[in-house]
Amino acid sequence: MFSKQIKVILFLLVLFTIGDGNAWVILKNKNQIETAEKSLSAPKKNIIQDAPYTDQQVKDVEPLLARLPQNINKVKVLLKVSDWYEISYDNPKTLEKAYLYAQDALRISQKLHSSIYIGKCYLQLSMVYQLKSNDKMIEVCAKKAIAAFTNTDQINDLAESWVMVWSAKMRTHAPLAERFSPIFKAAALFEKVKNNQRVGDCYSQISELYFSQSDFESSLTYLKKALFYYRAAHLDEEAILPISSRLHIIYEAEKRSKDIIKLKNKTFLQQIKLKNEVFLRNSMITFVVLLLIILGLLYKSYRFKKKTNKMLETQQNEINKKNTTLQNLVIEKEWLLKEIHHRVKNNLHMVVGLLASQVEFLKNEEAVQAINNSQNRIQAMSLIHQKLYQSENLSIIDMPSYIFELTEYLKDSFEIRNRIRFILDIDPFHLPLSHSIPIGLIFNEAVTNAIKYAFPNHAKGIINISLKASNDQKYKLIIHDNGVGLPPDFDPYNNPSLGIKLMHGLSADIEGKFLITNVNGTKITLEFTFIENNLN
């Protein structure tokens, strides 16, 4: 829990301290287009979906190849040996062996009229030709693999074959239209088999192609899709962080491309740049201070645990004294946890303050609105930590109290007074931090959208909030307003709104079912299951 909150703080600070430093990154994108195909079209090993051979297995099986019968099993062995030589490529001889074994496997597959293994052989040859830098044969073999895989159930391999066609187009500097077609087909096929990580890879490279055309809007759209699929693939935040940073870079590039025309003849550009440098310096100082605090806490925790272990080792034979010591340690650890929750809450408030300071330098209304939304989200998390360090139990949240206080905060934040009436129906139960934070953020997004959009022209309305727990350990959150409802063209499953994507992503984190419907207004439903025994 401690490390996740630190990651959130550091990630926000990195986003704010990027500033004008992103400009030099944009200059590198010409080279990125030429090298991007290497990362996506890197040969996907294990063509036959078995464990790859080890060095010893290759030594054992090679002498036996001549005596094996000409059947599918021999094709599998030949492909695995070819795959091993391709992976172990360090000179033209090993690459040539990979090529010859793949050709031998293709010959047998054609004799057996096996479309699947003919396709696998051509896909393997395409990868070998890539290492040989034979760009023409990469595309030829990849298209033959596509012809063989068509009308089979090998959709993943079919998608990889389209990736190889795209790789050949990139290597030969084909027109952009010819580069887009195969990578879009690959993405659609990977999406069909729910290979989320490869879908993300494809959309990431599509974003780079648009970026090379200075089409920043399309580049931003597809990079957001890539980020969505990477999270659906449950990649670590460390792996997703570069994509998030890239998203910020493209956003800044799009913004600057529009602003440069308006700011071309203005004389105070140096003054703005100086202010940004001062802000960057102050942000870096803040970042360093926070980092030192975190390192100090980690070092203190390490020393404390070391001291505790030593104490337990020396007092094993003194049962009564050890019990007393353990009881004192529990009290001290609870105090430390309360202190940590308190400091996390204070750090989140500091971030809210930094966001509020940033608003004073912004003139773009959308940017101001985005920062205000971020402040509400951070406040939802901060409230949880505040309740934790104020309560006796440091691991669970009293949901009725939390929902009530969060509702009151949103009412005060939007200054709605008595214009909108809230009706709360919350069952008394507790949830841990792992569920209360996602539910709080989903609640914040849903209620914020209802306040902002459900009652235009300061109309009066009602927002019903229900959080019920059933006997079968299932929970249901319903936020229902009697406002104007959703627009006719609203698609809850393919919506570019950050709030909608955030609610979908958070629902997936707790394995919940999320639904948005029009029922005399907008109705948002979240159903999830949680076993209370897990609280222990």
Side-chain angles (χ1 to χ4, degrees):
M1 175 169 55
F2 179 73
S3 60
K4 288 183 180 178
Q5 298 303 328
I6 291 174
K7 289 178 182 177
V8 171
I9 296 169
L10 295 179
F11 176 68
L12 288 171
L13 286 172
V14 169
L15 285 181
F16 281 106
T17 55
I18 287 176
D20 289 336
N22 291 325
W24 70 271
V25 179
I26 299 174
L27 299 176
K28 296 184 177 180
N29 281 281
K30 292 183 179 179
N31 293 330
Q32 286 179 347
I33 290 300
E34 302 302 328
T35 59
E37 55 89 19
K38 294 182 180 178
S39 61
L40 179 58
S41 64
K44 289 293 169 184
K45 299 303 168 191
N46 193 10
I47 289 294
I48 60 174
Q49 299 177 349
D50 291 328
Y53 275 156
T54 63
D55 297 358
Q56 186 60 45
Q57 286 176 313
V58 172
K59 291 180 181 178
D60 292 342
V61 79
E62 270 193 299
L64 304 177
L65 286 174
R67 299 198 299 272
L68 291 178
Q70 306 284 309
N71 55 24
I72 291 297
N73 287 332
K74 183 172 182 178
V75 173
K76 292 181 179 180
V77 173
L78 287 168
L79 283 175
K80 291 178 73 174
V81 174
S82 173
D83 192 54
W84 183 88
Y85 275 109
E86 181 194 348
I87 295 173
S88 307
Y89 165 60
D90 56 4
N91 60 65
K93 291 184 179 179
T94 54
L95 189 58
E96 185 63 22
K97 283 190 176 183
Y99 170 77
L100 293 175
Y101 282 125
Q103 283 283 17
D104 198 9
L106 176 61
R107 178 182 56 79
I108 298 172
S109 299
Q110 289 173 334
K111 274 182 152 186
L112 298 173
H113 303 289
S114 172
S115 297
I116 291 177
Y117 280 94
I118 289 173
K120 289 180 181 290
C121 292
Y122 275 123
L123 179 56
Q124 175 70 8
L125 284 169
S126 178
M127 295 175 179
V128 173
Y129 278 124
Q130 186 182 53
L131 293 177
K132 285 187 169 186
S133 298
N134 190 335
D135 299 338
K136 180 179 179 181
M137 291 306 297
I138 294 173
E139 183 174 358
V140 170
C141 290
K143 287 186 175 179
K144 289 183 179 180
I146 291 168
F149 285 132
T150 303
N151 300 324
T152 70
D153 61 349
Q154 304 296 306
I155 298 176
N156 203 69
D157 285 338
L158 179 59
E160 295 292 353
S161 302
W162 279 112
V163 170
M164 296 309 296
V165 173
W166 170 81
S167 174
K169 297 294 186 183
M170 293 291 290
R171 286 170 169 264
T172 56
H173 305 286
L176 281 171
E178 295 183 19
R179 302 187 206 180
F180 275 115
S181 178
I183 196 65
F184 269 114
K185 291 179 181 178
L189 291 168
F190 282 130
E191 191 169 359
K192 186 175 181 181
V193 295
K194 302 187 184 304
N195 191 341
N196 291 329
Q197 183 170 352
R198 292 295 280 162
V199 176
D201 292 338
C202 291
Y203 282 141
S204 177
Q205 299 308 321
I206 291 171
S207 172
E208 291 298 328
L209 285 174
Y210 277 117
F211 191 88
S212 68
Q213 293 181 292
S214 297
D215 186 350
F216 300 122
E217 183 177 357
S218 298
S219 179
L220 188 65
T221 298
Y222 282 98
L223 194 59
K224 286 181 178 178
K225 289 185 177 182
L227 187 61
F228 173 81
Y229 280 101
Y230 281 140
R231 284 181 173 151
H234 304 293
L235 295 184
D236 294 337
E237 284 299 325
E238 289 81 1
I240 299 177
L241 185 58
I243 301 297
S244 301
S245 299
R246 182 65 175 160
L247 196 67
H248 181 72
I249 291 170
I250 296 175
Y251 173 77
E252 288 293 321
E254 180 185 20
K255 180 181 176 182
R256 291 172 187 275
S257 67
K258 294 177 180 178
D259 290 346
I260 193 170
I261 298 175
K262 298 178 182 179
L263 301 175
K264 186 175 180 180
N265 298 322
K266 294 186 178 180
T267 60
F268 49 88
L269 182 61
Q270 291 298 324
Q271 183 180 1
I272 296 175
K273 184 177 179 181
L274 180 60
K275 290 181 180 179
N276 287 336
E277 290 176 350
V278 171
F279 177 75
L280 177 62
R281 183 194 62 194
N282 294 337
S283 299
M284 289 302 297
I285 292 173
T286 305
F287 174 80
V288 171
V289 170
L290 287 174
L291 183 60
L292 290 175
I293 293 173
I294 292 166
L295 291 175
L297 289 174
L298 290 175
Y299 179 74
K300 182 179 179 181
S301 177
Y302 166 75
R303 291 298 301 272
F304 177 76
K305 289 182 180 179
K306 186 176 180 181
K307 181 180 179 180
T308 302
N309 290 335
K310 184 177 179 180
M311 184 183 301
L312 291 175
E313 289 175 1
T314 58
Q315 295 183 351
Q316 285 183 352
N317 296 325
E318 301 178 11
I319 302 300
N320 294 331
K321 291 182 180 180
K322 185 177 73 171
N323 289 336
T324 303
T325 302
L326 288 175
Q327 185 176 4
N328 292 335
L329 287 174
V330 168
I331 295 173
E332 189 171 354
K333 285 183 179 179
E334 288 180 354
W335 180 86
L336 279 174
L337 284 174
K338 285 188 176 183
E339 180 67 15
I340 289 172
H341 283 303
H342 184 64
R343 294 193 181 193
V344 170
K345 188 266 293 184
N346 287 343
N347 288 340
L348 290 174
H349 280 185
M350 183 183 296
V351 174
V352 171
L354 289 173
L355 291 174
S357 299
Q358 181 63 33
V359 169
E360 298 180 2
F361 295 95
L362 296 177
K363 298 180 181 179
N364 187 302
E365 184 62 27
E366 292 183 358
V368 172
Q369 186 63 37
I371 288 183
N372 289 336
N373 291 339
S374 298
Q375 287 179 302
N376 289 340
R377 293 166 184 149
I378 294 172
Q379 180 64 29
M381 293 187 291
S382 174
L383 183 59
I384 286 180
H385 289 283
Q386 178 178 329
K387 296 189 69 62
L388 282 175
Y389 81 75
Q390 290 177 345
S391 66
E392 294 297 327
N393 194 319
L394 299 175
S395 60
I396 58 176
I397 295 294
D398 179 48
M399 294 309 293
S401 172
Y402 173 58
I403 294 298
F404 175 77
E405 291 186 26
L406 189 53
T407 302
E408 291 300 312
Y409 166 76
L410 291 175
K411 288 168 64 177
D412 293 340
S413 177
F414 286 96
E415 298 180 353
I416 59 176
R417 300 186 183 182
N418 296 325
R419 181 173 60 86
I420 299 175
R421 186 159 60 97
F422 288 82
I423 301 176
L424 275 68
D425 183 12
I426 313 296
D427 284 354
F429 62 89
H430 298 79
L431 286 178
L433 199 62
S434 61
H435 281 62
S436 56
I437 285 182
I439 291 172
L441 290 173
I442 293 172
F443 178 88
N444 175 77
E445 294 296 327
V447 174
T448 298
N449 287 341
I451 293 173
K452 290 166 61 177
Y453 305 116
F455 310 106
N457 300 322
H458 300 285
K460 293 186 177 181
I462 299 174
I463 298 178
N464 290 280
I465 300 170
S466 171
L467 182 55
K468 312 295 288 183
S470 60
N471 294 330
D472 55 354
Q473 297 175 329
K474 292 184 177 179
Y475 300 84
K476 180 183 287 188
L477 172 66
I478 299 176
I479 300 171
H480 187 189
D481 63 69
N482 63 346
V484 297
L486 299 172
D489 59 346
F490 181 81
D491 184 358
Y493 301 102
N494 187 19
N495 193 291
S497 168
L498 175 61
I500 298 298
K501 290 186 176 180
L502 184 61
M503 288 191 284
H504 278 290
L506 291 169
S507 301
D509 288 344
I510 60 174
E511 299 181 354
K513 181 180 179 183
F514 181 77
L515 184 65
I516 303 178
T517 56
N518 257 331
V519 183
N520 296 325
T522 302
K523 182 178 181 180
I524 294 178
T525 305
L526 171 65
E527 297 181 0
F528 63 96
T529 302
F530 178 75
I531 300 175
E532 291 190 8
N533 292 336
N534 291 342
L535 293 176
N536 299 323

